[in-house]
Amino acid sequence: MSAEQVSGLCEQLVKAVTVIMDPASTQRYRLEALKFCEEFKEKCPICVPCGLKLAEKTQTAIVRHFGLQILEHVVKYRWNNMPRLEKVYLKNNVMGLISSGTQSILEEESHIKDVLSRIVVEMIKREWPQHWPDMLKELDTLSKQGETQTELVMFILLRLAEDVVTFQTLPTQRRRDIQQTLTQNMEKIFSFLLTALQQNVSKYRRMKTDLAQEPKAQANCRVGIAALNTLAGYIDWVALSHITADNCKLLEMLCLLLNEPELQVGAAECLLIAVSRKGKLEDRKPLMVLFGDVAMHCILSAAQTADGEGLVEKHYVFLKRLCQVLCALGSQLCALLGSDCDVETPANFGKYLESFLAFTTHPSQFLRSSTQITWGALFRHEVLSHDPLLLAVVPKYLRASMTNLVKVGFPSKADSPSCEYSRFDFDSDEDFNAFFNSFRAQQGEVMRMACRLDPLTGFQMAGEWLKYQLTAPVDTGPMNSKTGEGLCSIFSPSFVQWDAMTFFSESVISQMFRTMDKDEIPVNDGIDLLQLVLNFETKDPLILSCVLTNVSALFPFVTYRPEYLPQVLSKLFASVTFEVVEESKFVVSVQAPRTRAVKNVRRHACSSIIKMCRDYPQLVLPNFEMLYNHVKQLLSNELLLTQMEKCALMEALVLISNQFKDYERQKAFLEELMAPVAGLWLSPEMQRVLSDPEAFISYVGADNKIADPVLEDPSGLNRSRISFCVYTILGVVKRARWPAATEEAKAGGFFLGYLPSGTPMYRNPCTEQVLKLFDNLLALIRTHNNLYMPEMVARLGDTFAKALDMLEVEKNAILGLPQPLLELYDSPVYKTVLERMQGFFCTLYDNCFHILGNAGPSMQQDFYTVEGLATQLLSSAFNNLNNIPDYRLRPMLRVFVKPLVLSCPSEYYETLVCPMLGPLFTYLHMRLSQKWQVINQRSMLCEDDAADDNPESQEMLEEQLVRLLTREVMDLATVCCVSKKGVEQNTTAALDGDDDEAMATEVTPPANAELTELGKCLMKQEDVCTAVLITAYTSLSWKDTLSCQRTTTQLCWPLLKQVLPGNLLPDAVSWFFTSVLKGLQVHGQHDGCMAALVHLAFQIYEALRPRYAELKAVMEQIPDIQLDSLEQFDSKLLNPTLQKVADKRRKDHFKRLISGCIGKPIGEQFRKEVHIRNLPSLFKKVKPSLETDVLENEDGEGFNVLFEP
């Protein structure tokens, strides 16, 4: 090619690049220029000379960068077809560019350095070591030319390690060749890096004070930084011996660099990686040198200097790194001490603890939280937990926690030194709040561990702090609460202190009771504190809530002094009716909405009473009459308590009545307790209302049009009567039980005998009462379901048109939107009568199903044998499902169907469970299929629609609900069908978890996932069997990764295995297999799903291919399948006499076969493939007979060295 041609083309390219990068260019010009450049890179035969010409120093940086990009493109995509001489020409020119083709180290643009190093690495990946044995020598020679070249060599070495070891972006054999050669040469590489670091740092230190030498000093500093960055890329994976060679010379250098401001962050990064290394304990022993005097001094003085210079981002980042280094050091110490490595507690352990404590008391909340895990490990450690130095730090740690538990440091505020640091770490107050809540929980864990070592100190501190808070004047701060004048908001200084103190005392007191012997507990001190708390009066709801928590925390002391129980009860009962408004105004303001803070206090008091009755029933039993009278008095005034509060108190009574241990007495009590409910629930009016949707709408007032939607609510009382009945039934069903000990149950008249399976049968004293109310409950559920019929929705009044919609809170929870912080406490619970109506319908619906879900475990055989139960449930709970929205169907499956199925004894499978689940699964399959079809069509139609940009758009909410419902359905199927043995892990834990929850990459289903008795029973019924199988396999291609992974690993194979012995139709078998392949098409981009689906496809093919040749036909349709490879796989599979290949190799072969249908992430779908050829093997000796072939392969290159030194 003539020089003119090259020059001419280069001129055009320069123009094109200028147009692309000029902000003033029109889009059309820019696209044309881009197209010209891309076509040039793809097709032009003279790319190399043009690229080299454009990369000359005389061109502008943008043009040079483009020239180098052309060369990179040539190496990546054309290398395999280039003649040898052209490769050598290109390689020599690129090395020439490093030697003399760039500006000096301080002037050259970083993107030019980056692309230049990339070109060299791409050549190394293709030719080293076999065809370019002297590569490292060449780099070494280049580095001797000066700082500019040394820095580029560092970039090359770092990029190489990243591509080969960290990101592994090349074929296995090439990766192995390069990594092994790197490892063999590691001593040289490390020596090169250390020498460069040492020489450049010492030159930099010598010259940095001399202004005349400033540029030279800066150049040396740059090389030092590059050397540290490169070391960071190697320290992570090289043999530990390189890091600890020469008496840990590298670690010593890094420690000394911590006090060099320009290099300290890089040094800390390297130290952190080194100290965090895992591996054999014996190899990690030398790391203990960091507890030595020199290292400790360097770390501490660097921390003090960085902290002393105020909040500067660079110093703060460095402090975070240092903190991580100390944490990792602590972890290494915990791992080595007490193992077989005879490591002693370091002499500087005390100094280490002091410095670590300094980070725990630093103003930055982030730094404080970073230390917690290590404190936990130290306090838990079998050797260190007895060390006097650590024991001496426990009180200091607890004292620090007292400060750290105080919730200050919101980035938007300026009321604490922490705020300034929070502005670096958190984007918003919500962000900080979420962080702080998890930090506090973590602190609670660690404080409890610390208190195990020294329980009394913690208790004394809690006592002092509690006494202080009880006497301190209330400071509401600048913001007044909306609850009332002069009351705290959640940001008030007083509340923040109370809140922290309460958390502290709760943590340490509970731990003291767990740790200390009964006789050593400081009962008198505890009772004194309890009395102070009981005598403390406050009208502030937030503070009162804290007071109640302290009463609960100190309650265990009452077990030593039962005479204090009546005082505790009085305190709690007084709080159940807490109001901010004075009594005189109360009558007028019945409708004035209570704020969340007031409601929380009342709810808190109720739950404290329930908790007390649940955990200390024997203690409360003697005071039962007093408790009962209190409750009767409160219930006598219909307006005093909300329905939930009334029922909470009744639940407490039921819990104590379980201690009667006398069936007749308890039954009589429950009858008396439920009499008002039964009277109301069974009245003719209520029966009419509950069984007729129109009457129901009218009774609860949902057909009205209301003028003042905040104050006016004429039917509120009617609603509360229905709620009261439902809450009470639920409370009784949930809490009434027979004695746990069989002997006591027999003595009390609860025991009925044994089921055929040997399970004991008990009778519940509440059964008779509850079953009496059961018909009307089913009528209510049927009516509630019918409210969703279009003609009923049309009857809702104007004010209540949206009464059956979701509450905003539910929507936000599903969309993952945070609640504004202040609103939670300061706003009324329901702002308008519409919200009250929505809350009523939502809670009523959930509670009805909670009753049905609890009925089985509670009433057992008495419930399962109710006449025609399956039919009754089908005609009520499963009535009108077509119109029921997803957000109502989900809780029904979770709180009713699942518990019912799980608690049902096998004797009732045929009569109850199968008749119910058959129609349900058939319906759910139909419903989900339709929903997903709509979603898939929508995503095809509106790829570019703007609806998705709005996170709250209705579509997005609906789609997320379909996902959650799908998970619920698949979870139900799994729970019904698959035995718990292998599925224990995460059936419900993350039902509402995020989609991006971390997925394991190697998933093989538990080998012992067998069908349960119920599963077998369901699979015998053809309609159920078909519905469950089809749902499971169809769901694999629905766009929900979490559901797909769970269904694949837990459900699909056990179900299919069950029907294998029967005669499956060939079409069905092909359909199952195709469904899995479709799943791979949709979810193949996610490693977790891909591994699970490949395994499932492999299982199906291996098990069924011998009987069904149709599976091979399906395989043949996979895009890009290699038919000869398929024949080979098939012949091995079908010939039982052949030696079986190892499972992993068969699976890998199968995965290669089906790779054409494994979906790729969108970022990889249109990427041009890079092909790197394997070079002749480094490590296997070639047989002599093949020598001639080997020498002639690859264009006759063979073992000839490609790049002469």
Side-chain angles (χ1 to χ4, degrees):
M1 283 283 169
S2 66
E4 287 87 56
Q5 257 182 310
V6 172
S7 294
L9 246 178
C10 284
E11 272 179 38
Q12 284 178 281
L13 286 166
V14 170
K15 278 183 191 163
V17 172
T18 313
V19 168
I20 293 171
M21 302 307 286
D22 181 0
S25 306
T26 64
Q27 191 181 7
R28 191 169 136 239
Y29 273 139
R30 186 174 289 123
L31 282 174
E32 278 178 20
L34 197 59
K35 192 175 169 199
F36 174 69
C37 291
E38 288 304 315
E39 280 181 359
F40 167 79
K41 281 199 283 192
E42 292 295 334
K43 297 176 183 160
C44 181
I46 53 167
C47 275
V48 174
C50 288
L52 288 168
K53 185 166 180 58
L54 292 175
E56 285 170 2
K57 260 200 282 198
T58 49
Q59 306 278 15
T60 64
I62 286 176
V63 171
R64 289 170 62 215
H65 184 259
F66 179 68
L68 292 168
Q69 266 187 328
I70 294 171
L71 300 180
E72 183 186 17
H73 189 274
V74 169
V75 178
K76 280 173 84 166
Y77 300 107
R78 296 195 188 180
W79 193 258
N80 295 338
N81 304 320
M82 279 166 74
R84 174 171 178 250
L85 285 174
E86 196 178 347
K87 290 181 184 176
V88 175
Y89 170 73
L90 174 55
K91 172 248 164 181
N92 289 338
N93 274 289
V94 170
M95 296 313 253
L97 283 174
I98 293 179
S99 167
S100 57
T102 66
Q103 313 287 359
S104 78
I105 185 167
L106 297 177
E107 291 164 31
E108 189 55 274
E109 300 281 354
S110 57
H111 56 278
I112 303 277
K113 298 176 186 175
D114 187 49
V115 70
L116 195 48
S117 62
R118 282 208 308 267
I119 299 170
V120 179
V121 170
E122 289 302 329
M123 291 192 293
I124 294 173
K125 278 154 64 171
R126 285 157 179 77
E127 303 297 341
W128 186 66
Q130 288 93 325
H131 295 165
W132 189 4
D134 290 326
M135 183 272 294
L136 287 173
K137 266 188 207 151
E138 287 184 47
L139 292 183
D140 189 39
T141 311
L142 278 174
S143 70
K144 292 192 167 69
Q145 287 188 331
E147 286 81 15
T148 306
Q149 291 73 17
T150 310
E151 186 189 37
L152 285 166
V153 169
M154 296 290 179
F155 286 169
I156 292 165
L157 289 175
L158 174 58
R159 177 93 198 186
L160 181 61
E162 285 174 345
D163 280 7
V164 175
V165 183
T166 315
F167 303 124
Q168 306 194 343
T169 53
L170 61 175
T172 316
Q173 192 186 322
R174 283 305 298 129
R175 198 182 79 230
R176 211 173 288 145
D177 286 356
I178 295 174
Q179 193 166 343
Q180 287 179 342
T181 314
L182 275 175
T183 306
Q184 284 164 4
N185 289 285
M186 197 49 74
E187 214 163 307
K188 289 182 201 160
I189 295 173
F190 252 68
S191 147
F192 164 72
L193 291 172
L194 280 183
T195 312
L197 180 63
Q198 216 164 3
Q199 287 174 353
N200 282 284
V201 167
S202 56
K203 283 182 193 167
Y204 167 64
R205 281 183 165 155
R206 234 187 4 260
M207 294 188 285
K208 70 175 177 180
T209 48
D210 181 353
L211 277 176
Q213 304 270 31
E214 167 83 30
K216 275 195 141 180
Q218 277 309 312
N220 292 124
C221 181
R222 278 285 175 86
V223 178
I225 292 170
L228 287 169
N229 287 339
T230 306
L231 274 169
Y234 283 83
I235 292 176
D236 200 15
W237 57 274
V238 301
L240 269 161
S241 54
H242 295 296
I243 300 172
T244 55
D246 273 357
N247 276 337
C248 297
K249 182 180 166 192
L250 167 64
L251 297 178
E252 186 186 341
M253 277 175 68
L254 292 173
C255 285
L256 293 170
L257 287 178
L258 293 176
N259 286 298
E260 195 58 73
E262 291 300 317
L263 300 163
Q264 58 184 184
V265 175
E269 197 70 61
C270 288
L271 254 187
L272 176 59
I273 298 169
V275 184
S276 306
R277 282 288 299 263
K278 302 280 182 278
K280 285 185 189 161
L281 291 175
E282 197 53 48
D283 296 345
R284 282 152 49 181
K285 234 167 87 173
L287 294 173
M288 287 295 103
V289 72
L290 291 169
F291 277 103
D293 290 343
V294 179
M296 267 294 140
H297 174 73
C298 291
I299 294 173
L300 301 193
S301 60
Q304 280 158 353
T305 313
D307 192 34
E309 295 179 5
L311 178 52
V312 180
E313 183 160 19
K314 194 175 146 194
H315 294 153
Y316 183 39
V317 168
F318 174 59
L319 268 181
K320 287 183 189 173
R321 288 291 163 278
L322 274 189
C323 182
Q324 287 173 293
V325 168
L326 286 176
C327 290
L329 253 183
S331 302
Q332 287 292 9
L333 179 63
C334 289
L336 290 166
L337 199 62
S339 61
D340 307 331
C341 301
D342 69 309
V343 172
E344 299 285 306
T345 305
N348 280 327
F349 184 52
K351 197 183 264 186
Y352 168 80
L353 289 174
E354 283 303 318
S355 55
F356 201 49
L357 193 65
F359 278 102
T360 310
T361 52
H362 191 276
S364 156
Q365 296 282 16
F366 183 85
L367 283 178
R368 295 172 181 182
S369 77
S370 305
T371 61
Q372 297 299 324
I373 289 177
T374 307
W375 279 121
L378 294 169
F379 292 145
R380 250 198 327 259
H381 195 268
E382 52 184 352
V383 179
L384 289 172
S385 58
H386 301 298
D387 189 294
L389 289 166
L390 186 68
L391 292 173
V393 170
V394 168
K396 294 178 184 171
Y397 171 78
L398 289 172
R399 189 71 61 195
S401 298
M402 289 167 68
T403 310
N404 293 354
L405 289 169
V406 179
K407 195 186 233 171
V408 288
F410 283 93
S412 70
K413 298 198 172 342
D415 54 3
S416 141
S418 304
C419 299
E420 212 181 342
Y421 288 91
S422 293
R423 284 193 270 282
F424 278 104
D425 293 319
F426 306 102
D427 293 332
S428 64
D429 284 0
E430 278 76 17
D431 209 9
F432 172 79
N433 194 49
F435 151 80
F436 193 88
N437 290 342
S438 68
F439 167 34
R440 177 180 276 190
Q442 197 179 30
Q443 252 180 295
E445 282 293 301
V446 181
M447 277 170 12
R448 284 190 280 278
M449 284 174 213
C451 286
R452 260 185 231 159
L453 307 182
D454 187 354
L456 267 180
T457 303
F459 175 65
Q460 281 157 359
M461 287 182 179
E464 281 166 37
W465 197 0
L466 177 58
K467 284 178 191 165
Y468 173 76
Q469 279 308 131
L470 289 169
T471 53
V474 174
D475 174 3
T476 57
M479 280 186 67
N480 240 326
S481 165
K482 293 181 198 161
T483 309
E485 201 57 45
L487 296 178
C488 289
S489 79
I490 52 168
F491 298 121
S492 299
S494 276
F495 171 66
V496 171
Q497 288 289 336
W498 265 99
D499 189 35
M501 178 275 292
T502 303
F503 186 87
F504 184 82
S505 64
E506 217 181 354
S507 302
V508 300
I509 294 173
S510 65
Q511 191 57 49
M512 179 182 75
F513 278 102
R514 278 195 212 108
T515 310
M516 291 177 71
D517 288 340
K518 260 193 133 175
D519 328 334
E520 294 173 357
I521 288 198
V523 177
N524 292 338
D525 297 352
I527 289 289
D528 290 348
L529 287 175
L530 180 64
Q531 277 206 285
L532 290 172
V533 176
L534 292 174
N535 294 334
F536 178 75
E537 291 298 332
T538 176
K539 270 290 172 203
D540 194 305
L542 290 175
I543 292 179
L544 181 54
S545 210
C546 295
V547 170
L548 294 178
T549 307
N550 282 293
V551 171
S552 296
L554 293 163
F555 188 75
F557 286 108
V558 179
T559 54
Y560 295 83
R561 303 278 172 81
E563 64 272 21
Y564 284 94
L565 182 65
Q567 269 177 274
V568 173
L569 285 174
S570 302
K571 183 80 177 174
L572 294 176
F573 274 107
S575 309
V576 171
T577 54
F578 175 79
E579 289 287 353
V580 173
V581 190
E582 294 81 51
E583 289 303 317
S584 57
K585 295 186 196 162
F586 179 66
V587 188
V588 188
S589 70
V590 138
Q591 297 297 347
R594 293 186 181 121
T595 60
R596 179 78 59 189
V598 172
K599 185 156 186 174
N600 279 355
V601 166
R602 299 170 65 120
R603 196 172 278 188
H604 194 146
C606 291
S607 67
S608 298
I609 294 172
I610 288 186
K611 204 169 139 200
M612 194 170 70
C613 295
R614 186 194 65 200
D615 298 343
Y616 302 97
Q618 287 302 146
L619 181 66
V620 184
L621 185 60
N623 289 277
F624 178 73
E625 285 308 317
M626 170 192 162
L627 189 66
Y628 193 13
N629 289 331
H630 256 309
V631 175
K632 275 187 201 161
Q633 199 181 340
L634 290 175
L635 293 180
S636 61
N637 178 345
E638 197 168 11
L639 299 179
L640 205 52
L641 300 179
T642 65
Q643 310 321 312
M644 197 169 180
E645 290 155 7
K646 289 178 189 170
C647 297
L649 297 178
M650 289 166 82
E651 277 183 53
L653 292 173
V654 176
L655 280 167
I656 300 301
S657 76
N658 289 338
Q659 292 304 309
F660 294 170
K661 297 184 180 169
D662 174 343
Y663 176 80
E664 292 301 335
R665 182 183 168 198
Q666 193 176 0
K667 183 181 156 202
F669 163 72
L670 291 173
E671 197 170 331
E672 185 186 329
L673 186 70
M674 292 184 75
V677 173
L680 195 58
W681 194 244
L682 299 174
S683 66
E685 188 198 10
M686 193 61 91
Q687 263 175 315
R688 180 181 65 81
V689 166
L690 296 180
S691 48
D692 174 8
E694 273 185 58
F696 184 77
I697 290 179
S698 162
Y699 182 77
V700 300
D703 56 354
N704 298 343
K705 182 176 180 186
I706 285 182
D708 180 348
V710 178
L711 290 179
E712 203 185 321
D713 186 6
S715 307
L717 211 53
N718 287 351
R719 287 200 303 277
S720 68
R721 283 176 183 150
I722 293 180
S723 296
F724 174 57
C725 294
V726 172
Y727 268 128
T728 307
I729 300 171
L730 175 59
V732 170
V733 166
K734 215 162 65 179
R735 302 294 186 183
R737 281 292 180 280
W738 51 89
T742 312
E743 288 314 308
E744 288 185 339
K746 284 180 178 168
F750 296 90
F751 184 74
L752 290 176
Y754 295 94
L755 283 167
S757 58
T759 319
M761 289 198 305
Y762 299 100
R763 55 183 183 162
N764 191 321
C766 77
T767 302
E768 200 176 300
Q769 289 308 309
V770 173
L771 289 182
K772 213 164 59 176
L773 311 174
F774 192 61
D775 286 348
N776 273 2
L777 180 75
L778 292 181
L780 169 61
I781 292 173
R782 187 181 308 110
T783 298
H784 202 305
N785 280 7
N786 284 332
L787 293 184
Y788 289 94
M789 287 159 80
E791 60 270 30
M792 286 301 145
V793 175
R795 289 186 173 275
L796 297 174
D798 296 356
T799 315
F800 298 111
K802 293 188 169 177
L804 295 168
D805 285 11
M806 290 172 84
L807 286 159
E808 277 307 307
V809 191
E810 291 181 288
K811 284 185 194 170
N812 290 346
I814 284 169
L815 291 170
L817 301 173
Q819 285 290 85
L821 290 180
L822 248 183
E823 274 196 6
L824 282 175
Y825 289 89
D826 261 0
S827 55
V829 184
Y830 298 119
K831 299 178 191 70
T832 63
V833 67
L834 170 64
E835 280 183 309
R836 280 190 219 161
M837 191 69 81
Q838 284 180 326
F840 165 73
F841 280 130
C842 170
T843 316
L844 186 66
Y845 195 79
D846 282 3
N847 284 342
C848 287
F849 285 120
H850 271 295
I851 294 174
L852 292 183
N854 278 290
S858 170
M859 301 184 284
Q860 300 204 327
Q861 68 292 329
D862 292 324
F863 176 67
Y864 300 122
T865 53
V866 165
E867 200 169 326
L869 181 61
T871 321
Q872 289 193 54
L873 290 173
L874 283 170
S875 69
S876 55
F878 302 132
N879 177 39
N880 189 33
L881 287 186
N882 271 335
N883 290 313
I884 300 271
D886 292 345
Y887 55 87
R888 290 286 168 260
L889 192 52
R890 257 183 80 212
M892 178 178 99
L893 296 178
R894 187 168 61 226
V895 302
F896 155 47
V897 183
K898 194 168 139 189
L900 179 76
V901 167
L902 283 177
S903 62
C904 185
S906 51
E907 283 81 359
Y908 308 112
Y909 286 167
E910 300 282 347
T911 53
L912 174 64
V913 181
C914 292
M916 200 173 75
L917 287 183
L920 181 65
F921 276 125
T922 313
Y923 169 73
L924 289 171
H925 169 251
M926 180 193 74
R927 175 168 177 144
L928 286 174
S929 302
Q930 287 169 353
K931 297 261 182 191
W932 280 108
Q933 200 176 347
V934 171
I935 288 176
N936 292 337
Q937 281 169 349
R938 193 186 284 159
S939 61
M940 281 157 66
L941 285 172
C942 59
E943 293 287 42
D944 51 357
D945 200 7
D948 279 4
D949 297 342
N950 169 13
E952 288 154 295
S953 73
Q954 195 53 30
E955 277 179 20
M956 192 145 174
L957 183 66
E958 283 166 20
E959 207 166 302
Q960 189 56 13
L961 272 166
V962 174
R963 276 198 186 90
L964 294 172
L965 180 63
T966 305
R967 290 174 201 176
E968 207 68 69
V969 172
M970 301 324 299
D971 181 52
L972 178 65
T974 308
V975 161
C976 291
C977 299
V978 183
S979 77
K980 275 283 182 273
K981 265 181 271 175
V983 191
E984 215 95 82
Q985 55 289 30
N986 50 9
T987 31
T988 45
L991 258 178
D992 301 333
D994 296 338
D995 297 7
D996 51 346
E997 144 173 328
M999 297 223 176
T1001 39
E1002 255 314 308
V1003 183
T1004 35
N1008 54 2
E1010 295 296 330
L1011 284 197
T1012 53
E1013 281 308 306
L1014 174 59
K1016 288 175 189 162
C1017 180
L1018 288 170
M1019 296 303 274
K1020 277 185 210 147
Q1021 309 203 356
E1022 198 172 326
D1023 56 335
V1024 191
C1025 173
T1026 313
V1028 176
L1029 266 168
I1030 290 181
T1031 311
Y1033 278 84
T1034 315
S1035 77
L1036 300 181
S1037 50
W1038 292 338
K1039 288 179 183 166
D1040 182 38
T1041 334
L1042 206 63
S1043 170
C1044 167
Q1045 192 180 5
R1046 286 188 192 151
T1047 310
T1048 312
T1049 45
Q1050 298 171 5
L1051 190 61
C1052 286
W1053 181 243
L1055 288 180
L1056 189 57
K1057 207 165 63 174
Q1058 184 67 18
V1059 295
L1060 286 186
N1063 286 328
L1064 282 173
L1065 293 172
D1067 283 358
V1069 173
S1070 300
W1071 182 84
F1072 286 127
F1073 189 57
T1074 312
S1075 299
V1076 183
L1077 298 182
K1078 277 186 186 164
L1080 271 168
Q1081 231 172 343
V1082 177
H1083 298 290
Q1085 54 180 309
H1086 304 288
D1087 290 347
C1089 281
M1090 191 253 294
L1093 286 162
V1094 168
H1095 182 81
L1096 177 61
F1098 175 67
Q1099 278 179 305
I1100 294 175
Y1101 197 77
E1102 280 221 314
L1104 291 168
R1105 169 67 185 89
R1107 281 165 55 193
Y1108 297 94
E1110 288 80 0
L1111 288 183
K1112 186 178 175 189
V1114 175
M1115 288 287 272
E1116 285 165 350
Q1117 293 167 37
I1118 291 173
D1120 309 325
I1121 189 159
Q1122 295 179 320
L1123 292 172
D1124 50 344
S1125 185
L1126 175 62
E1127 286 299 336
Q1128 189 190 355
F1129 185 82
D1130 255 23
S1131 61
K1132 282 183 187 168
L1133 177 63
L1134 297 176
N1135 188 342
T1137 54
L1138 284 177
Q1139 174 73 43
K1140 270 269 188 171
V1141 188
D1143 204 28
K1144 179 153 179 26
R1145 286 186 54 194
R1146 290 204 320 276
K1147 203 159 141 190
D1148 287 346
H1149 187 173
F1150 181 76
K1151 185 176 172 182
R1152 284 196 297 278
L1153 287 175
I1154 61 171
S1155 61
C1157 67
I1158 297 178
K1160 290 181 179 168
I1162 199 146
E1164 283 175 28
Q1165 281 174 17
F1166 310 103
R1167 181 186 285 172
K1168 191 171 173 179
E1169 288 285 337
V1170 174
H1171 297 286
I1172 299 181
R1173 280 192 190 155
N1174 286 330
L1175 299 185
S1177 172
L1178 269 180
F1179 304 104
K1180 285 182 190 162
K1181 288 214 167 97
V1182 182
K1183 291 176 189 166
S1185 59
L1186 296 175
E1187 221 164 61
T1188 48
D1189 300 353
V1190 171
L1191 286 174
E1192 284 164 16
N1193 77 347
E1194 295 211 12
D1195 312 326
E1197 288 163 16
F1199 268 123
N1200 304 356
V1201 171
L1202 175 62
F1203 298 153
E1204 309 294 345

